Amino acid sequence: DGGITQSPKYLFRKEGQNVTLSCEQNLNHDAMYWYRQDPGQGLRLIYYSQIVNDFQKGDIAEGYSVSREKKESFPLTVTSAQKNPTAFYLCASSHRARAGGPQETQYFGPGTRLLVL
Amino acid sequence: QQPVQSPQAVILREGEDAVINCSSSKALYSVHWYRQKHGEAPVFLMILLKGGEQKGHDKISASFNEKKQQSSLYLTASQLSYSGTYFCGTVHTSGNTPLVFGKGTRLSVIA
């Protein structure tokens, strides 16, 4: 079955610790995205990648880092610089838009809930 | 620029209708609608690409008014399964521009 997987489902972080959230897709999508969701705030873009070995900052990139070494994988690291990391993190992927065409549909993974101890 | 959704929340009885609006202060190229159940991933509903375009799926439909820079989602004869938070995601240009999502509209359908 094609889809997007995120792990773990729940993650606990201690003060000063870096943690990494996994996102894998087997949909053959070029583009991948990370969103943060807080109650009442909608989905806010952290980072996105349109192609392997390239990524761009979104609206709230401070305190986060990513890598895109493989097409299927786009891990997100929440660093100790992120002072308020408690949130629901969603990974998404899509095909790249055709030249002059619209943004393609984004498909979301099940999410990782990050809590601070 | 984050689109504005209204209302923020709505409670319906089964069988009632609802309209959710998504407005932007900037010209829109496309609008994407999603529904999210509590604790789950958002699920894609539909994309509207052109001004005046209307789409429908089952009893959920949407329209896109390019001039007014807004889109509306219509839920007809609501069912309990329609409960969730509805998000619009907007794009202002063609090409590989990530969606910008509104804050969502929480819809609760009660028996």
Side-chain angles (χ1 to χ4, degrees):
Chain A
D1 277 338
I4 303 173
T5 56
Q6 290 186 242
S7 61
K9 188 171 181 180
Y10 295 96
L11 186 58
F12 297 92
R13 192 191 94 162
K14 294 180 181 178
E15 292 280 346
Q17 188 181 41
N18 291 355
V19 291
T20 298
L21 285 62
S22 168
C23 176
E24 304 275 333
Q25 55 95 4
N26 61 4
L27 299 168
N28 199 32
H29 286 168
D30 287 300
M32 297 186 75
Y33 314 83
W34 273 106
Y35 291 91
R36 170 179 170 143
Q37 187 172 33
D38 297 279
Q41 294 299 316
L43 301 161
R44 292 184 291 169
L45 184 66
I46 305 172
Y47 269 97
Y48 65 103
S49 168
Q50 301 286 3
I51 199 166
V52 174
N53 291 323
D54 188 41
F55 48 83
Q56 286 78 40
K57 292 182 179 180
D59 299 319
I60 55 165
E62 188 173 348
Y64 301 97
S65 66
V66 293
S67 63
R68 186 84 188 278
E69 295 175 3
K70 297 188 299 182
K71 186 176 183 178
E72 303 78 22
S73 179
F74 191 39
L76 174 75
T77 297
V78 184
T79 73
S80 55
Q82 174 49 245
K83 297 305 178 190
N84 183 22
T86 297
F88 189 46
Y89 290 86
L90 286 159
C91 177
S93 69
S94 72
H95 287 298
R96 293 194 75 202
R98 290 162 291 170
Q103 170 64 34
E104 295 282 338
T105 300
Q106 291 182 194
Y107 295 92
F108 286 85
T112 292
R113 194 165 296 277
L114 177 62
L115 301 162
V116 177
L117 294 175
Chain B
Q1 271 172 321
Q2 188 175 41
V4 176
Q5 287 186 235
S6 63
Q8 289 184 331
V10 58
I11 300 174
L12 299 175
R13 291 200 179 275
E14 269 188 298
E16 290 183 338
D17 302 338
V19 180
I20 299 171
N21 297 307
C22 174
S23 299
S24 175
S25 58
K26 209 173 156 185
L28 292 170
Y29 182 84
S30 64
V31 180
H32 304 227
W33 285 98
Y34 288 80
R35 176 173 62 207
Q36 184 181 31
K37 303 277 187 178
H38 183 69
E40 297 180 6
V43 173
F44 171 74
L45 295 175
M46 63 190 83
I47 293 179
L48 296 118
L49 299 176
K50 302 175 191 174
E53 182 173 30
Q54 295 191 1
K55 280 194 173 179
H57 175 69
D58 197 7
K59 290 179 181 171
I60 298 175
S61 61
S63 65
F64 181 14
N65 188 322
E66 206 169 15
K67 279 190 176 177
K68 291 186 179 178
Q69 297 173 182
Q70 73 172 37
S71 175
S72 297
L73 188 72
Y74 306 94
L75 298 105
T76 306
S78 57
Q79 306 165 18
L80 294 174
S81 62
Y82 287 3
S83 293
T85 300
Y86 289 78
F87 292 97
C88 66
T90 55
V91 180
H92 299 290
T93 61
S94 64
N96 296 304
T97 307
L99 298 176
V100 179
F101 287 92
K103 292 186 177 182
T105 294
R106 179 175 286 182
L107 179 76
S108 301
V109 181
I110 58 176

